[in-house]
Amino acid sequence: MLNLCVGRSKASSAAVPAIALSLAVALTPSAGHAVDFSGKTVEIIMPYAEGSGTDQYARIFQPFLQRYLPGKPTVIVMGKPGGSGVKGSNWFERSARRDGTTLIATGASVQTSYVFAGKKIKFDLLGWNPIVLSPFGVCFQARKEIGVNGKDIVADIKALRKAGQSKRLLMGGKNPTASDLQSFIAYDFLGIPNVKPVYGLSTGNRRKAIARGEIELSMDPVLKCKQQHKKMIKQGVIVYMTLGFANPDGAIVRDPSLPNFPHVGEVYEILNGKKPAGVQWQGIKNLLNMIVMANKGLWLPKGAPQDVVDLYVATIKNIYKDKQFIKLTKKQFGEYPQTFGAAGKDVVRNGA
């Protein structure tokens, strides 16, 4: 084997970086060539189970990406579930192609795991390139048997405090680092004692468990609460507050899809006569950005060329203008504003 490091002159040594740079530029899509996916397959890595909320989210985009990306590539959803999104996210960090043919779809637990799951995390979320982040609000639910009515928030919190003083209040969750974490912090922040997790429940199974009266407390996407409100009441499940929504200036306001219900910070102020503050409140706001504002998303890997990133952002924006897409997603996405491109990094930083 020829060893280029032996006997190099200073001139030849200086030339090596220049040659390497020239080769790198020549091999990237940005070297004077328009990005074209003709004859290629684009994979959307799915770090959750088939049929999950994030899986449904990715599959909404799938046919539109096939239609709008230049060259009309085949777009497939590739399942790599496990560990609340950690397994697939680690794979994406390690193995994703940087040429635009590998994306990942994320749910809130990818963000919370990134912050809280420690050594399991082998991915750099802040290094990824967000294409679109879609907010989805969170509502809080309780069984009516413990005195919650959903009409008087002060009476509802008092009822929850009283119930927690006399018994364990079971709250369904996926695992200690999943998006359910914010509920336990919120309950403690509002002085509701003795809330105990029942882990191992998916969102759908948690919904069934509270409907059957097997748990007293739960959380659900706001749009699901809105769509199934009457059904929930018949099942004895009461919605009484939301996590809230973050304005661009960082202020926490009522969820625009469920504006008749107060958010956690607002409830604290009503109960205590002062605005929320302190470490717990900051934690709730961070979690809100992770769980609500970046609830679902599509990303390109770290190192993707800027022209590929720009192309995807422009493509997604065009998809959001498509009349068929608007009609299809009206119920699933609600009226929430979407975050496109680099602005998504600010949202994630606010959480992480």
Side-chain angles (χ1 to χ4, degrees), residues 37-210:
F37 295 106
S38 296
K40 296 183 179 180
T41 297
V42 172
E43 295 180 346
I44 304 175
I45 302 305
M46 176 48 53
Y48 303 98
E50 186 175 353
S52 65
T54 305
D55 183 64
Q56 294 176 45
Y57 176 81
R59 292 181 190 280
I60 287 174
F61 287 101
Q62 182 182 9
F64 292 94
L65 286 170
Q66 288 186 155
R67 184 187 307 170
Y68 279 90
L69 282 172
K72 301 186 185 302
T74 299
V75 179
I76 63 173
V77 177
M78 180 69 68
K80 293 187 182 295
S84 292
V86 171
K87 180 180 177 181
S89 297
N90 286 344
W91 183 94
F92 183 72
E93 178 77 18
R94 181 179 65 251
S95 304
R97 296 181 296 274
R98 270 60 177 171
D99 62 355
T101 57
T102 310
L103 306 173
I104 190 170
T106 60
S109 61
V110 167
Q111 284 82 265
T112 54
S113 294
Y114 175 69
V115 175
F116 298 111
K119 294 181 180 179
K120 295 179 181 179
I121 302 305
K122 308 297 182 184
F123 63 92
D124 178 17
L125 182 68
L126 294 177
W128 294 356
N129 293 284
I131 303 306
V132 60
L133 297 182
S134 301
F136 288 91
V138 173
C139 66
F140 290 78
Q141 304 161 320
R143 292 289 308 177
K144 67 178 181 180
E145 290 88 349
I146 56 179
V148 174
N149 59 42
K151 298 176 182 178
D152 182 341
I153 190 60
V154 174
D156 287 344
I157 298 301
K158 287 181 177 178
L160 288 168
R161 288 173 175 174
K162 183 178 179 181
Q165 290 167 358
S166 61
K167 60 178 288 188
R168 291 189 308 166
L169 298 177
L170 299 181
M171 161 78 191
K174 294 179 182 178
N175 61 60
T177 61
S179 58
D180 324 293
L181 176 64
Q182 52 83 25
S183 295
F184 299 106
I185 297 176
Y187 288 133
D188 187 65
F189 187 60
L190 297 176
I192 300 166
N194 212 11
V195 177
K196 302 298 180 183
V198 179
Y199 290 130
L201 296 179
S202 66
T203 301
N205 287 333
R206 184 174 58 220
R207 193 177 296 134
K208 294 175 183 177
I210 193 170

